[in-house]
Amino acid sequence: MSEADRILERALVGMRLRPEEGLRLFEEAPLASLAEAADQMTQRLHPHRYRTYHIDRNINYTNICISGCQFCAFSRRPGQAGGWLIDRDSLFEKIEETVALGGEQILLQGGLHPDLPLSWYEELLREIRGQFPEINIHGFSPPEIFHLAQISHLPIREVLLRLKEAGLGSLPGGGAEILVDRVRRKISPCKVSTEGWLEVCRTWHQLGGRGSATMMFGHVETLADRIEHLERLRRLQDETGGFTAFIPWTFQPGNTALQHLPKTGTYDYLRTLAISRLYLDNFPNIQASWVTQGLKIAQMALRFGANDLGSLMIEENVVAAAGTRFRVSLEQIKAAIRGAGFVPMRRNVFYEWLDTPDGGYA
């Protein structure tokens, strides 16, 4: 038996992977062995037949940003042609369309706008909550929160308290990229540090909030950096228990300053997904990324450690700006789940089931 096989066996009997063991799996474990182990762990955590999906809309309120990330094809610098800030009528029209399509949430994110005060965000949240009380606002990634604290000269806790009071329902895990400062200095030198990102999430969790965590990989990071990212997330989850899900996705190089880098393929995506499932033993959910991989690969991911196909995503602009434009219908998402041998179940952002299942039984 190889050392990689022994590591997988220990993981499946509940022994937590150490960083050096996670790296060993990246370097040596066969893809089929990783898939089998990750699938077993997923079925242990989710022994029912359901695999979930969500209906929401990703609404970007601005593309004006001072971060200057090397991997972004979406943002515009202040004063640059093509910069915009959404108007309220357009925003509310998008939310109305989302509700009409069965959505109960919006994902509200934008750039690090230098001129919008905290009061602008509070007013925005109150207006949304006033007109659409049934909608959960999954909004403002940790870098946006950290930026707001800086320009407002307020503690992170106070910023989050004010946004929560105004209507913020949950915190998306965007802007994590790779939680290793050496990597962050190369690809996003003006964005929040690793500790800053984690502190925003920690504070939100301490306030009773829940949210997701992400990893964007396949650029300048090493395999050891990916493991360090997972380790940092696992430690914070041990501390707070506030993460609902982990969403790994691959860097899309098109139209970015890093477009010379090769695009990460299916093999690396599925390998990373499976190791993430095994390493993040305290994360209840792992989400597949059809937005970057396409629906067929996302369907395969349901046998590589994922238990969720993510959102129908009525609108998505950031990944699309890099040239990746996968689109799927609700029926296609359900068919993909069935094709993987499971029963589709609609959920909300907190992974609470919302529907009677489409056939089958728990």
Side-chain angles (χ1 to χ4, degrees):
M1 179 184 292
S2 70
E3 180 59 24
D5 287 336
R6 281 191 284 271
I7 292 170
L8 291 174
E9 279 199 352
R10 290 198 293 272
L12 288 176
V13 296
M15 297 180 67
R16 172 167 278 191
L17 293 180
R18 299 187 297 271
E20 63 271 19
E21 292 175 323
L23 184 58
R24 190 75 172 259
L25 292 181
F26 262 121
E27 294 172 341
E28 298 180 11
L31 184 62
S33 299
L34 287 173
E36 182 179 4
D39 191 42
Q40 286 186 44
M41 182 171 284
T42 304
Q43 295 201 48
R44 184 179 305 158
L45 291 167
H46 303 277
H48 47 75
R49 294 286 308 284
Y50 305 142
R51 294 297 178 261
T52 50
Y53 65 92
H54 191 207
I55 300 176
D56 75 352
R57 184 173 196 150
N58 188 350
I59 301 177
N60 301 109
Y61 60 87
T62 185
N63 68 341
I64 297 171
C65 185
I66 60 173
S67 183
C69 296
Q70 298 292 295
F71 55 82
C72 184
F74 173 74
S75 66
R76 297 294 183 269
R77 297 184 305 275
Q80 183 181 2
W84 49 263
L85 179 67
I86 198 167
D87 63 83
R88 294 293 200 270
D89 289 342
S90 297
L91 173 65
F92 295 150
E93 182 179 345
K94 289 174 182 290
I95 299 175
E96 287 172 356
E97 291 172 354
T98 303
V99 172
L101 290 168
E104 78 294 325
Q105 173 179 285
I106 58 167
L107 171 55
L108 188 64
Q109 295 185 118
L112 308 186
H113 198 297
D115 301 321
L116 297 179
L118 179 58
S119 58
W120 184 90
Y121 295 84
E122 292 176 289
E123 181 182 348
L124 178 70
L125 290 170
R126 289 193 180 100
E127 288 188 24
I128 295 172
R129 186 172 64 176
Q131 294 202 35
F132 304 95
E134 74 277 23
I135 283 285
N136 177 66
I137 305 171
H138 188 54
F140 313 134
S141 64
E144 291 169 88
I145 301 296
F146 189 86
H147 169 72
L148 275 175
Q150 284 191 312
I151 65 174
S152 303
H153 305 289
L154 294 171
I156 290 170
R157 181 182 180 86
E158 183 171 345
V159 170
L160 286 170
L161 277 170
R162 286 173 59 169
L163 293 175
K164 186 177 182 182
E165 172 61 27
L168 183 62
S170 52
L171 189 73
E177 280 75 76
I178 295 291
L179 293 172
V180 176
D181 282 336
R182 176 185 54 79
V183 175
R184 299 180 78 79
R185 284 192 292 269
K186 290 181 180 180
I187 64 173
S188 53
C190 301
K191 191 178 278 187
V192 62
S193 67
T194 294
E195 284 300 330
W197 191 95
L198 292 167
E199 185 56 30
V200 171
C201 294
R202 177 182 291 108
T203 305
W204 178 247
H205 298 168
Q206 290 171 345
L207 294 173
R210 305 291 299 282
S212 58
T214 65
M215 178 170 72
M216 183 191 73
F217 64 95
H219 38 85
V220 304
E221 88 287 354
T222 65
L223 296 178
D225 292 332
R226 296 184 197 178
I227 291 297
E228 184 173 342
H229 180 102
L230 298 176
E231 176 69 16
R232 299 301 295 270
L233 291 178
R234 191 172 70 179
R235 288 179 188 174
L236 184 55
Q237 183 75 333
D238 279 344
E239 179 184 338
T240 68
F243 288 121
T244 56
F246 176 65
I247 309 155
W249 58 283
T250 53
F251 166 59
Q252 305 299 300
N255 304 320
T256 74
L258 300 176
Q259 60 185 343
H260 60 282
L261 295 177
K263 191 172 183 177
T264 300
T266 299
Y267 177 86
D268 195 12
Y269 170 71
L270 292 174
R271 190 174 191 80
T272 301
L273 181 83
I275 292 171
S276 299
R277 175 64 286 171
L278 295 167
Y279 203 92
L280 297 176
D281 54 4
N282 54 3
F283 272 66
N285 303 290
I286 304 287
Q287 186 183 124
S289 176
W290 65 259
V291 177
T292 59
Q293 297 299 312
L295 191 56
K296 288 295 184 182
I297 304 307
Q299 182 185 50
M300 290 178 62
L302 292 176
R303 291 297 184 179
F304 277 77
N307 63 288
D308 182 80
L309 268 192
S311 172
L312 173 63
M313 203 164 286
I314 299 162
E315 177 180 354
E316 197 288 321
N317 300 305
V318 177
V319 172
T324 301
R325 292 182 173 86
F326 291 113
R327 289 289 182 267
V328 300
S329 68
L330 183 57
E331 285 308 314
Q332 286 174 316
I333 286 179
K334 292 180 180 180
I337 294 173
R338 293 190 193 101
F342 300 106
V343 177
M345 173 65 79
R346 190 165 70 97
R347 62 159 177 91
N348 62 18
V349 71
F350 304 108
Y351 284 79
E352 298 166 334
W353 296 344
L354 298 179
D355 286 341
T356 300
D358 300 313
Y361 50 88

